[in-house]
């Protein structure tokens, strides 16, 4: 009797070690099935597995297999969407885009500075800060109706000097009398290229790199 017990204990320990190693890497459906078969092969003949417990393990395996199948199906569905996004991004080259962001890159060309107002404002100012947080540019545009507006900024500073190329930030101050009006900064630039990285398509524009999700409008 003791000989039988010793013989069954050795493969059972080996199977447990293999299962533990599989858990370290993440248990897949094949590992789960191997573990189930090893359990059947190495069970004690004098004390076989409970049929109810075995049925529950089979149900777990079936559920695990369905989950893997679902994940594979979803991954296949995501691939065409990613390809369509890349095609759409490439089709934007040479077109103007409106993006909802405040940071931009100033080059040698004028920049389209804009905003979206939730309601009409009696006085609106577009203020530009440099990378050090200093206010270096101002575009007063006066009273504006609700909606989106854009104004061309020639890159000139407060004293009329041409500002150096670099990174800048747009701030919009909108007032209706003494009441502040919600104003969302927007920029307008031209798409010159596309960066097809692993995190999604990024447009290379005249105002800097812009994720596709930030694009609010495309101008032909």
């Amino acid at each position: 009797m003791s000989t039988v017990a010793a013989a069954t204990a050795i493969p059972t320990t080996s199977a447990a070690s293999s299962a533990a190693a599989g858990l370290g890497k993440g248990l897949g459906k094949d590992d789960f099935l191997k573990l189930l078969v090893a359990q059947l092969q190495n069970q004690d003949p004098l004390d076989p597995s409970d049929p109810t417990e075995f049925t529950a393990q089979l149900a777990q395996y079936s559920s695990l297999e369905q989950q893997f199948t679902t994940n594979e199906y979803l991954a296949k569905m995501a691939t065409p969407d990613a390809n369509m996004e890349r095609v759409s991004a490439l089709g934007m080259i040479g077109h103007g885009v409106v993006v909802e962001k405040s940071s931009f890159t100033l080059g040698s060309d004028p920049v389209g500075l804009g905003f979206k107002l939730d309601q009409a404002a009696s006085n609106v100012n577009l203020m530009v800060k440099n990378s050090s947080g200093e206010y270096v540019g101002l575009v007063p545009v006066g009273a504006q109706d609700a909606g989106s507006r854009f104004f061309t900024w020639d890159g000139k500073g407060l004293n009329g000097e041409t500002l150096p190329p670099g990174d800048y930030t747009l701030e919009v101050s909108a007032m209706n009398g003494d009441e502040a009006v919600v104003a969302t900064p927007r920029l307008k630039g031209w798409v010159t290229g596309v960066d097809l990285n692993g995190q999604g398509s990024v447009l290379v524009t005249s105002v800097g790199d812009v994720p596709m999700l930030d694009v609010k409008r495309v101008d032909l």
Side-chain angles (χ1 to χ4, degrees):
M1 186 69 68
S2 60
T3 303
V4 174
T8 56
I10 293 175
T12 303
T13 303
S14 176
S17 300
S18 300
L23 285 173
K25 299 181 294 182
L27 188 64
K29 61 179 182 179
D30 292 337
D31 299 318
F32 191 93
L33 183 59
K34 290 177 182 177
L35 186 61
L36 200 60
V37 172
Q39 178 183 339
L40 291 175
Q41 292 176 338
N42 298 290
Q43 63 181 331
D44 187 348
L46 301 179
D47 185 19
S49 300
D50 183 1
T52 303
E53 180 181 354
F54 179 68
T55 302
Q57 291 174 339
L58 284 178
Q60 290 177 359
Y61 173 74
S62 177
S63 176
L64 182 65
E65 186 175 26
Q66 290 178 3
Q67 181 179 350
F68 272 90
T69 302
T70 301
N71 289 344
E72 291 173 0
Y73 179 70
L74 291 175
K76 290 179 181 179
M77 288 183 61
T79 301
D81 290 341
N83 291 334
M84 289 181 61
E85 179 185 307
R86 290 185 175 94
V87 171
S88 299
L90 291 171
M92 293 183 186
I93 295 177
H95 295 288
V97 289
V98 171
V99 296
E100 196 160 280
K101 59 180 301 188
S102 57
S103 58
F104 65 95
T105 301
L106 174 65
S108 58
D109 297 326
V111 179
L113 303 181
F115 51 84
K116 177 184 178 183
L117 295 179
D118 286 358
Q119 64 186 65
S122 58
N123 188 33
V124 178
N125 288 297
L126 308 181
M127 301 175 293
V128 178
K129 295 194 301 185
N130 61 16
S131 57
S132 299
E134 303 169 327
Y135 288 99
V136 293
L138 174 65
V139 182
V141 295
Q144 299 292 328
D145 293 330
S148 296
R149 301 287 186 278
F150 288 93
F151 301 87
T152 301
W153 180 52
D154 56 8
K156 296 293 182 64
L158 296 174
N159 298 321
E161 77 283 11
T162 299
L163 296 175
D167 296 329
Y168 293 85
T169 303
L170 168 66
E171 287 189 2
V172 181
S173 172
M175 302 292 296
N176 191 20
D178 295 331
E179 180 184 355
V181 175
V182 176
T184 304
R186 288 189 169 186
L187 302 168
K188 181 183 290 186
W190 290 93
V191 181
T192 58
V194 178
D195 183 5
L196 302 176
N197 59 38
Q199 303 300 320
S201 302
V202 176
L203 304 178
V204 181
T205 78
S206 57
V207 293
D209 293 349
V210 177
M212 282 278 289
L213 293 176
D214 289 343
V215 175
K216 297 302 179 183
R217 193 181 78 209
V218 179
D219 295 331
L220 301 178

